Amino acid sequence: TITCTEIYNEIVAAHRRGVRVRVVTDDDKQDDRGSKTMSLKSQGIEVRNDGDLSHMHHKFAIIDGCVLINGSFNWTRSAVLNNRENVVISSDPYLIQAFNHEFGSLWTAFRYNR
């Protein structure tokens, strides 16, 4: 889930600029204290959850189809301030294509989970 206000604000700002933003999250975590998931939805951002007993543990973003952000970094306040996390930012077309395919698969699989 997203609990970091600064990340949330940037996602909303991108949406308001006309960028298509889509989020897949974990159904169990979307209702956690501090989660911004419902607020993203109220801003008109497309959000789907996994609706599954297992956890959605992916943590990646694809920016404009040409930048991949991926790693252990949870998009939470705790990750920003406390945790030992890693994040890789890549423009490798092969990686971007692979993650884009994975996102598309998740988006399709969770089409009824909103």
Side-chain angles (χ1 to χ4, degrees), residues 1-112:
T1 191
I2 299 167
T3 65
C4 180
T5 302
E6 292 82 359
I7 293 172
Y8 164 82
N9 288 341
E10 291 302 319
I11 292 169
V12 171
H15 173 70
R16 288 182 180 159
R17 288 192 310 273
V19 175
R20 183 178 187 202
V21 178
R22 298 182 295 165
V23 175
V24 174
T25 190
D26 184 273
D27 64 331
D28 290 331
K29 305 305 279 179
Q30 72 181 359
D31 297 322
D32 280 3
R33 186 170 163 251
S35 173
K36 310 287 189 214
T37 302
M38 298 316 257
S39 185
L40 288 171
K41 287 182 179 185
S42 73
Q43 294 289 329
I45 294 171
E46 297 176 87
V47 177
R48 295 182 183 175
N49 66 63
D50 62 345
D52 199 338
L53 294 175
S54 60
H55 285 299
M56 172 56 57
H57 215 257
H58 282 306
K59 300 160 198 120
F60 69 90
I62 302 162
I63 312 298
D64 297 333
C66 59
V67 175
L68 169 68
I69 301 172
N70 181 48
S72 71
F73 183 81
N74 289 306
W75 296 34
T76 62
R77 169 60 68 214
S78 186
V80 172
L81 298 177
N82 303 316
N83 298 355
R84 298 184 196 284
E85 302 279 0
N86 70 72
V87 65
V88 175
I89 301 172
S90 174
S91 58
D92 181 295
Y94 176 79
L95 288 175
I96 293 167
Q97 180 181 17
F99 277 86
N100 228 350
H101 178 76
E102 177 64 10
F103 185 85
S105 295
L106 296 170
W107 193 254
T108 299
F110 305 144
R111 65 188 167 275
Y112 302 114

